[in-house]
């Protein structure tokens, strides 16, 4: 499961982010995951305790923000969530040329001490 390796990366990043405050307890780890990444929040939650054990995150709470896919049409500028029923095309002009605005996030947002 690749969620475990991402969880370890997130924890390393959180510990790194807290390194200038070595006496503080890391209480919350906020991460953001886009729908395009294939990473499922429920697995992040599931693996968090094991990944965090023995680190400064072991008593922290994980908070995953799941971001839906949102794209911008390169032809008409419409912003939409691609849907299978219209073959992921733009609902306004039916172009499939689009750039991703959201959905590829896989990042540590913040930590709370
Ligand atoms: Zn369009």
């Amino acid at each position: 499961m690749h969620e475990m390796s991402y969880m370890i990366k997130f924890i390393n990043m959180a510990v790194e982010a807290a390194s200038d405050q070595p006496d503080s307890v890391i209480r919350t780890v906020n991460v953001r995951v886009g729908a395009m990444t294939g990473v499922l929040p429920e697995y992040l939650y599931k693996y968090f305790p094991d990944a965090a054990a023995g680190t400064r995150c072991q008593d922290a709470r994980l908070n995953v923000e799941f971001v839906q896919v949102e794209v911008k049409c390169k032809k008409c500028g419409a912003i939409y969530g691609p849907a299978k029923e219209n073959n992921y095309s733009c609902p306004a002009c039916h172009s499939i040329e689009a750039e991703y605005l959201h959905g590829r996030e896989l990042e540590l947002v913040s930590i709370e001490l």
Side-chain angles (χ1 to χ4, degrees), residues 8-46:
I8 289 168
K9 277 182 199 160
F10 283 140
I11 285 169
N12 288 339
M13 288 161 77
V15 169
E16 176 65 30
S19 61
D20 59 340
Q21 297 192 60
D23 299 327
S24 301
V25 174
I26 300 174
R27 298 189 186 283
T28 311
V29 177
N30 295 309
V31 303
R32 188 178 288 140
V33 173
M36 283 288 292
T37 63
V39 174
L40 299 173
E42 66 227 62
Y43 284 106
L44 292 179
Y45 287 120
K46 186 179 169 189

Side-chain angles (χ1 to χ4, degrees):
M1 277 309 205
H2 55 187
E3 280 84 356
M4 186 60 172
S5 59
Y6 286 123
M7 201 63 261
I8 289 168
K9 277 182 199 160
F10 283 140
I11 285 169
N12 288 339
M13 288 161 77
V15 169
E16 176 65 30
S19 61
D20 59 340
Q21 297 192 60
D23 299 327
S24 301
V25 174
I26 300 174
R27 298 189 186 283
T28 311
V29 177
N30 295 309
V31 303
R32 188 178 288 140
V33 173
M36 283 288 292
T37 63
V39 174
L40 299 173
E42 66 227 62
Y43 284 106
L44 292 179
Y45 287 120
K46 186 179 169 189
Y47 295 138
F48 181 70
D50 282 341
T55 77
R56 287 186 67 196
C57 291
Q58 66 180 355
D59 296 319
R61 191 174 64 88
L62 176 68
N63 182 30
V64 181
E65 180 191 345
F66 191 67
V67 184
Q68 295 296 340
V69 180
E70 193 173 70
V71 303
K72 183 177 181 182
C73 177
K74 284 184 178 171
K75 208 170 167 189
C76 76
I79 291 170
Y80 61 98
K84 200 175 182 180
E85 50 268 31
N86 53 14
N87 294 317
Y88 306 101
S89 64
C90 173
C93 73
H94 308 294
S95 169
I96 53 163
E97 292 282 305
E99 61 175 310
Y100 283 95
L101 299 178
H102 295 291
R104 287 177 164 169
E105 294 86 347
L106 198 55
E107 59 201 13
L108 178 75
V109 179
S110 62
I111 55 168
E112 290 161 34
L113 299 176

